[in-house]
Amino acid sequence: MLQIPRPALRTGGLSLLLLIFILLPAPGGDAGTLISPAAGAHRVLEAAVDPPAGSVRGTVTDPDGARVPHARVVLASALSVVATTEADTEGQFRFSPVAPGRYDLRVMAEGFRADPIDVAVAPGQEARVPVSLHVSAVTESVVVSAAQVEVPLARAADSITVLSARDLLAAQVETVADAMRSVPGLTVARNGGRGSVTSLFPRGGESDFTLVLVDGIKANAFGGGYDFSALSAGDVERIEVVRGPESALFGAEAIGAVVQVITKHGGSPRLEGAIEGGSFGTSRVTAGTWGSRGAWSWGVSGERVASTGFTGVAPATGERVSNDDFLSTHGSFSAGWRAANGADLRATGHITSSDRGFPGPFGSNPIGAYTQVDRLSRGVTGTRQVGGRWTQPFAPGGRRVRQTISANDLDLTSDFTSVYGLSASASSRAGVRSQTDVDLSTALAVSAGAEVQRERATSTFITAESVGPVPIRRWVAGSFAEARYQPVMPLTLTAGVRAERIERDRLSRNLDPYSPRPTFDTDVRTFVNPRISAAFLFAGSRGGTLGWTRVHAAAGTGIRAPDALEIAFTDNPGLKPERSRSVEAGVDQAAASERLVVSATVFFNRYDDLIVAVGPALADASRYRTDNISNASSIGVELAGALRTAWGLGARLSYTYLGTEILAVDRLGERAPTPFQVGDPLLRRPRHSASLDLTFTRRGLTAFARVGGRARSLDVEPSYGTYGGLFYNPGFTVVDAGASWRVASFVEVIGRIGNVFDRRYEETFGFPTLGRNATVGVRIAAGR
């Protein structure tokens, strides 16, 4: 049972005060006039009588005038999304009821875009809106990761990339990590073949600097770590990637980036499935159904992936490799109910299990430390998460208001068996959140609320003498507020702040050897993280050579709270979260009637209070075993381009220049943590990386090709880590390609080749990736 501490209850006052404020009469009364309680109540009730609602109806057509079925249609105020719906098989849509006022209407259809349409809804009237699409390199989307509310992608001021289900299907992407390889600013490092540990480094940050959300639920382990190896793309509706710290929105763990995975739910009833098989004994089976009926909506899916892995000769020893096999199963569900007045109830759940062998670093072996293939070590992991959300919109006094309450629960388990025996670890998190959103005027909206989380972690390695295993517990209570301001139509300003109160049990260093239970001290700290962003759109003529130009900038801070091992193995009572500070600015330019869009973003990150082991070399900097004394920085340029032609060719290009630097530790001038020198680059962060994704769609054929590569990067000796020395991992270029052919209305034959030219390379030094591999299969989709 989740027990909310007294300090956490006080943080809920923001949401309560905001609700009280919005129930007051709308602006326009006599300022400074004293009224009796009875008269005040009368005025509140009078103001709360809403005018009759209207509706919006329309039809979506393509450039040739043909109706477009199943397009997603978005109705937005100047500051947030009000409602979304899906066009029927005839391209027709309807919003009802809609509060009187002015709105933007936008359409999401892959490969197409419509100019935003200004819609005026009068009381009790229906507005009719014809929507004509044009070919565009950028598809409109609704994003939930760039602000406290849903906003159209075109209005998001952050550096954000959205990958749709169509993008993933066209490129036959298996995992979310594979999709991340095309996103500028991110480095993906996988320790070998399918199912091996996969890390993500955002803009030079550490591998635990990315907050991962699945349907709005935090999926990270205690302290921010996340293994992307088993995060399937099979049931994904879209992936949102926000680069830069977002702790002002999401609190701790959002120190470097946010990856939000939105799974399929609702829409026209449909059934999908696929069966695949290929090289390295790989098989993959997926199935799912999603849809809506009346007020109810649902989603159910499942997946099983298996592979024998690499069984060739180990470059390091000349032995035959075994124990590289992988098995993963994944299931998810969602259920929703939406009332006529807009009230929405949603429940989601995900469960994943994986079993993988660990043959060790049988590739590069610079000091000969790897002597034989490990045929015993195996890891078994499990993830279970459930969540629920209730949203209630209402409009007292003419103000549009929405109240959201959500709760979630997460359990992560990991068992690792080796020659040394079994080691087990686990993380759990339960949380509740309340948020109130208010449109104070047509130009200003605010959100405020509170969130409480209880975290717990255990490990075989976290024990105390005479008392055995010791759990690490932490309470996090966050209060947040955000304002969104649009003084003129092209300009959007967003400012947010979150105060995070972190309370954790600290194992007492003065244990009573005769006590049957461990004793704890309490460590309480409060951290405040702000963020501000702005975007300005210079509108152009869609028919001209140059289209619109959009400039954007953002600045903010982030934190990552210590993980369980960092807390357990320190004698430092003042160990703090790691911190980041970031600034960025960019420009997006559309050309050729929006068929070409290019963008450029520059950023600078400063990472402070990084936790490191002190050791003899740094003894003059701290008297503790571990401390927040290390620092680093990164500076970079992200370039991206997207092209879409009327005859079916699409292209997406990304390039990242990343300069990282290890800075001097606090109080020691020009000294860095051993074995680094001041000025060394950070591990596994290549200076240059790029990717080119090509797709071609014509009638029933969809073909794709991807070229990706990066420069060399600094890494550690594969067996002994930093104790074995530092080495440069060579750069590489790899090509993947594939195609699908629709042989019937609901049947596709699919095939792809990974590593077409059979390149030998290692994303993580010492762990070879798979050579050339092929996969073929059949995909079935009925109902759409």
Side-chain angles (χ1 to χ4, degrees):
M1 178 176 168
L2 180 62
Q3 298 177 341
I4 301 176
R6 192 180 306 274
L9 291 173
R10 291 198 292 267
T11 65
L14 274 176
S15 189
L16 179 60
L17 287 174
L18 190 57
L19 274 174
I20 293 172
F21 169 75
I22 62 176
L23 289 173
L24 295 175
D30 296 332
T33 302
L34 297 176
I35 58 175
S36 68
H42 174 74
R43 287 181 59 182
V44 170
L45 291 174
E46 184 181 57
V49 176
D50 298 330
S55 61
V56 178
R57 182 189 296 271
T59 303
V60 183
T61 57
D62 66 15
D64 297 326
R67 297 190 175 192
V68 179
H70 306 303
R72 297 290 293 175
V73 186
V74 178
L75 194 66
S77 68
L79 300 157
S80 63
V81 170
V82 175
T84 61
T85 191
E86 182 179 287
D88 62 19
T89 56
E90 298 298 320
Q92 297 180 342
F93 63 89
R94 186 170 187 265
F95 293 99
S96 180
V98 179
R102 302 196 74 88
Y103 302 89
D104 278 351
L105 190 141
R106 301 167 184 262
V107 175
M108 296 178 287
E110 195 68 27
F112 296 95
R113 196 166 181 265
D115 294 329
I117 300 172
D118 183 52
V119 179
V121 178
Q125 302 295 313
E126 182 171 81
R128 293 186 174 269
V129 185
V131 182
S132 179
L133 302 177
H134 59 268
V135 176
S136 174
V138 176
T139 299
E140 185 60 273
S141 180
V142 171
V143 296
V144 298
S145 308
Q148 296 288 5
V149 296
E150 294 179 330
V151 295
L153 177 61
R155 288 187 186 159
D158 296 307
S159 296
I160 184 168
T161 299
V162 177
L163 302 173
S164 68
R166 292 258 185 151
D167 295 328
L168 305 180
L169 283 175
Q172 300 182 32
V173 173
E174 295 181 22
T175 67
V176 171
D178 290 334
M180 296 296 97
R181 301 179 193 278
S182 300
V183 179
L186 303 184
T187 300
V188 178
R190 188 165 68 181
N191 291 14
R194 286 182 177 88
S196 56
V197 174
T198 306
S199 303
L200 186 70
F201 299 86
R203 285 184 170 176
E206 296 289 347
S207 60
D208 52 7
F209 278 16
T210 300
L211 174 65
V212 180
L213 301 168
V214 179
D215 290 329
I217 302 174
K218 289 185 178 182
N220 300 70
F222 189 108
Y226 189 80
D227 178 7
F228 280 83
S229 62
L231 186 56
S232 169
D235 61 348
V236 172
E237 179 64 29
R238 69 180 186 276
I239 304 170
E240 300 176 10
V241 183
V242 183
R243 303 181 296 282
E246 294 289 335
S247 289
L249 270 70
F250 302 106
E253 281 80 60
I255 180 174
V258 174
V259 174
Q260 172 102 253
V261 177
I262 310 296
T263 59
K264 296 177 182 178
H265 177 89
S268 299
R270 58 203 187 277
L271 176 67
E272 298 177 8
I275 301 176
E276 303 175 6
S279 306
F280 301 104
T282 301
S283 63
R284 181 171 180 247
V285 179
T286 66
T289 177
W290 307 272
S292 302
R293 282 291 186 209
W296 295 92
S297 56
W298 71 88
V300 180
S301 67
E303 179 184 68
R304 182 184 186 275
V305 180
S307 176
T308 58
F310 182 73
T311 56
V313 175
T317 64
E319 299 174 277
R320 180 70 60 178
V321 175
S322 63
N323 196 35
D324 194 40
D325 57 297
F326 169 64
L327 172 65
S328 174
T329 58
H330 169 75
S332 67
F333 80 90
S334 60
W337 175 80
R338 187 176 182 86
N341 65 356
D344 185 80
L345 183 65
R346 178 79 63 86
T348 61
H350 298 267
I351 185 168
T352 302
S353 65
S354 66
D355 183 352
R356 198 189 196 287
F358 287 86
F362 57 82
S364 297
N365 192 20
I367 65 173
Y370 184 82
T371 58
Q372 63 181 8
V373 173
D374 187 339
R375 307 186 192 280
L376 175 64
S377 295
R378 300 195 65 82
V380 178
T381 63
T383 301
R384 180 194 61 81
Q385 66 176 56
V386 294
R389 185 195 69 213
W390 170 69
T391 301
Q392 177 65 60
F394 51 101
R399 299 185 178 95
R400 185 177 295 110
V401 183
R402 184 176 67 174
Q403 178 67 35
T404 302
I405 297 175
S406 60
N408 59 79
D409 187 82
L410 170 74
D411 283 300
L412 304 174
T413 60
S414 176
D415 294 338
F416 187 78
T417 303
S418 69
V419 66
Y420 302 105
L422 173 67
S423 59
S425 62
S427 291
S428 64
R429 180 184 300 113
V432 294
R433 177 186 174 102
S434 174
Q435 178 175 325
T436 304
D437 309 310
V438 186
D439 286 359
L440 295 177
S441 69
T442 58
L444 177 64
V446 297
S447 298
E451 182 175 19
V452 179
Q453 294 178 356
R454 181 212 62 198
E455 298 180 294
R456 184 178 186 271
T458 60
S459 171
T460 301
F461 301 106
I462 303 177
T463 61
E465 292 182 18
S466 76
V467 296
V470 178
I472 303 297
R473 298 183 177 89
R474 180 161 58 205
W475 281 95
V476 181
S479 299
F480 55 87
E482 179 182 86
R484 299 171 295 279
Y485 184 47
Q486 192 174 48
V488 292
M489 186 60 70
L491 176 63
T492 301
L493 302 172
T494 304
V497 65
R498 178 170 173 135
E500 202 91 338
R501 183 183 187 275
I502 301 176
E503 175 182 333
R504 66 175 172 87
D505 292 336
R506 185 176 59 220
L507 186 65
S508 174
R509 298 298 159 184
N510 299 313
L511 287 176
D512 180 357
Y514 300 102
S515 173
R517 299 174 61 84
T519 59
F520 294 92
D521 301 324
T522 300
D523 182 71
V524 181
R525 295 175 183 270
T526 300
F527 303 89
V528 177
N529 288 287
R531 183 167 178 83
I532 185 169
S533 61
F536 192 92
L537 180 67
F538 298 92
S541 171
R542 188 173 63 81
T545 303
L546 291 179
W548 47 263
T549 302
R550 176 177 172 269
V551 294
H552 59 92
T557 65
I559 61 173
R560 182 196 71 88
D563 64 31
L565 294 179
E566 289 169 335
I567 293 172
F569 291 99
T570 187
D571 56 350
N572 185 350
L575 197 67
K576 301 176 294 186
E578 299 178 329
R579 298 186 299 118
S580 71
R581 292 172 287 170
S582 174
V583 294
E584 64 176 69
V587 59
D588 306 326
Q589 177 65 58
S593 302
E594 285 192 334
R595 296 184 182 183
L596 173 66
V597 177
V598 295
S599 64
T601 302
V602 296
F603 64 85
F604 173 78
N605 293 332
R606 171 70 187 239
Y607 304 112
D608 297 306
D609 293 339
L610 302 181
I611 300 171
V612 293
V614 174
L618 304 180
D620 292 339
S622 174
R623 62 189 179 90
Y624 300 110
R625 289 200 294 262
T626 62
D627 207 344
N628 301 91
I629 58 174
S630 186
N631 308 284
S633 68
S634 67
I635 187 170
V637 178
E638 298 167 348
L639 304 178
L643 172 70
R644 179 83 63 172
T645 69
W647 43 276
L649 177 66
R652 191 169 66 244
L653 172 69
S654 72
Y655 165 79
T656 302
Y657 167 81
L658 178 64
T660 63
E661 184 178 2
I662 295 175
L663 305 178
V665 300
D666 297 338
R667 300 182 291 277
L668 281 188
E670 294 300 315
R671 195 177 303 174
T674 305
F676 301 98
Q677 302 294 323
V678 173
D680 281 348
L682 292 168
L683 296 176
R684 297 174 189 167
R685 278 74 145 194
R687 187 174 292 270
H688 304 281
S689 59
S691 68
L692 173 64
D693 291 86
L694 300 173
T695 59
F696 178 77
T697 303
R698 195 74 171 179
R699 297 184 175 89
L701 172 68
T702 298
F704 77 91
R706 181 184 184 277
V707 182
R710 65 193 196 206
R712 70 173 189 169
S713 59
L714 188 66
D715 214 318
V716 297
E717 200 283 322
S719 296
Y720 294 147
T722 56
Y723 295 103
L726 302 177
F727 301 87
Y728 273 98
N729 187 12
F732 59 85
T733 300
V734 63
V735 177
D736 304 323
S740 63
W741 177 258
R742 187 172 295 277
V743 297
S745 60
F746 59 91
V747 179
E748 279 184 298
V749 176
I750 59 178
R752 60 184 177 276
I753 301 175
N755 195 358
V756 173
F757 298 106
D758 200 24
R759 301 294 190 193
R760 294 181 180 273
Y761 67 98
E762 299 168 352
E763 290 185 341
T764 301
F765 193 52
F767 296 86
T769 58
L770 295 177
R772 183 187 298 115
N773 59 94
T775 303
V776 296
V778 176
R779 184 187 297 152
I780 299 173
R784 175 176 285 188

